[in-house]
Amino acid sequence: MAAGLFEGQYVWHPAADDRLLASVCVDVRAGRYRSAHEALAETRGDFGLRAHRSLVLASEAADSDLAERWLAEEPTPEAALLWARVAVLRALRAADAHDERAEALERIALTACDRAATVNPADPTPWVARLAMARLHRLTDPAPRGLLTAPPGPWRLFAHVLSLDPFHREAHHRFLACFFTRHGGSVNAAWDVAAFLGQRAPADSPLRLLPLVALVESYNPTQLLADRVWEQPQWRSTALAIYQNWLPTMPGYRFTPVLDLAYLAHALVMGKREFEARAVFAAMGPYASRMPWSAFGEPADQLSRARRACGLPVPP
């Protein structure tokens, strides 16, 4: 993995430096699915890459009939997966917009996820797509032992995903989102779940970032000294541990994990560890994500502000 040097402009495309995925996005926008099949078929043994590519392609295909047409013409596991991803994305958009079609779209999405899981039982991705919709309902499975707040949630569905891939990145983030206050949870529950999941992950796993994600989600600019929270020893040490243990694994990635790097860079800058943040920004190259910067203002402005604090160039 090599992100490339920053050349004066941010690149916001979610494909980042996955060149194959970026070219497939162009085909999908043009209504062609052949290259999408090839890009997804080669990920059957790499669930992290499969989740990433299928999610990005779904965002490109959601406003067209490509997924339905592909599934009708070639009912492969890859076609079924993209259809599930697209159906879930449409259902979530409708629910968030309080669209009257939301319930019908959710039923379609559940059926699509079931179909994708049936044609490829070993693939956790259809179950992760289904987990993305869990935030629409207050599921009340009891929490396992070890959580202070013992928050109920979609624990059984999450456990099934973990049985297929114990440290699936997207599954953990989707699950954590169910406990955010904007989805009916609480700050304490989100922190509790994030800490529980982060601690069970290997030291060099990006899942160690989950507490920092929960911290951004709980940010309230009206609170006294809200921007100084990241300077507290527990959060600074969390960020530094991730910097020391996870960042060196970047050369093994097949694409730049921009979102994870952005959360780490943000935490280091807010914790006044600009030296370490410079290395994280270097690993990101020109690629950018809206989060976590959008939680604090206009994303490009906040990203530029953080880079300036590290003495790095920003777009003119």
Side-chain angles (χ1 to χ4, degrees):
M1 184 277 295
L5 297 177
F6 179 76
E7 296 180 351
Q9 296 293 333
Y10 300 135
V11 178
W12 297 92
H13 197 287
D17 56 348
D18 186 337
R19 304 288 195 272
L20 175 60
L21 178 58
S23 67
V24 174
C25 286
V26 175
D27 284 347
V28 168
R29 287 195 293 270
R32 298 186 293 267
Y33 59 75
R34 173 53 51 191
S35 62
H37 171 80
E38 296 170 356
L40 290 177
E42 76 167 29
T43 68
R44 290 182 184 179
D46 186 338
F47 295 140
L49 185 62
R50 190 170 181 82
H52 170 66
R53 284 185 175 176
S54 61
L55 187 59
V56 172
L57 292 177
S59 69
E60 298 287 352
D63 296 323
S64 72
D65 68 344
L66 180 137
E68 294 93 329
R69 183 161 46 82
W70 181 14
L71 185 62
E73 295 174 2
E74 294 184 7
T76 63
E78 283 64 44
L81 176 59
L82 186 64
W83 166 228
R85 285 294 217 176
V86 165
V88 167
L89 184 56
R90 290 172 181 167
L92 291 174
R93 287 178 177 177
D96 291 342
H98 304 289
D99 191 311
E100 61 183 10
R101 301 169 298 169
E103 289 188 12
L105 289 173
E106 185 179 355
R107 288 194 296 270
I108 292 171
L110 289 172
T111 300
C113 290
D114 288 344
R115 177 170 181 170
T118 299
V119 298
N120 191 356
D123 184 5
T125 321
W127 296 98
V128 174
R130 187 167 186 150
L131 186 59
M133 292 190 294
R135 66 174 176 80
L136 302 179
H137 307 283
R138 297 309 303 163
L139 299 180
T140 57
D141 302 337
R145 294 180 180 178
L147 286 93
L148 295 176
T149 60
W155 290 96
R156 282 183 291 184
L157 177 56
F158 183 55
H160 181 70
V161 177
L162 299 190
S163 71
L164 300 172
D165 187 356
F167 301 109
H168 196 286
R169 182 203 171 278
E170 185 186 341
H172 282 74
H173 283 265
R174 295 291 190 184
F175 183 69
L176 177 60
C178 294
F179 302 92
F180 291 163
T181 54
R182 58 190 165 101
H183 296 148
S186 69
V187 170
N188 288 337
W191 279 348
D192 197 9
V193 171
F196 176 77
L197 298 179
Q199 288 168 3
R200 64 179 290 276
D204 61 352
S205 169
L207 297 179
R208 291 281 178 155
L209 283 157
L210 290 172
L212 299 180
V213 174
L215 186 60
V216 169
E217 185 65 26
S218 67
Y219 174 72
N220 183 353
T222 65
Q223 291 181 341
L224 185 65
L225 301 177
D227 290 344
R228 303 292 296 274
V229 172
W230 284 265
E231 297 178 40
Q232 295 177 5
Q234 70 180 99
W235 299 117
R236 184 178 283 171
S237 63
T238 296
L240 287 173
I242 297 167
Y243 167 81
Q244 293 164 358
N245 296 313
W246 174 63
L247 189 65
T249 70
M250 289 300 96
Y253 277 66
R254 293 183 64 182
F255 65 94
T256 300
V258 180
L259 185 58
D260 290 334
L261 289 168
Y263 272 100
L264 178 55
H266 171 266
L268 290 169
V269 171
M270 296 291 281
K272 307 300 182 184
R273 300 300 300 237
E274 290 86 357
F275 175 81
E276 290 84 358
R278 283 177 63 94
V280 181
F281 281 124
M284 289 171 64
Y287 303 104
S289 61
R290 289 186 55 80
M291 288 294 288
W293 317 110
S294 62
F296 303 85
E298 203 285 323
D301 291 344
Q302 294 298 315
L303 175 56
S304 292
R305 180 182 177 183
R307 289 180 62 93
R308 287 193 196 98
C310 298
L312 295 171
V314 300

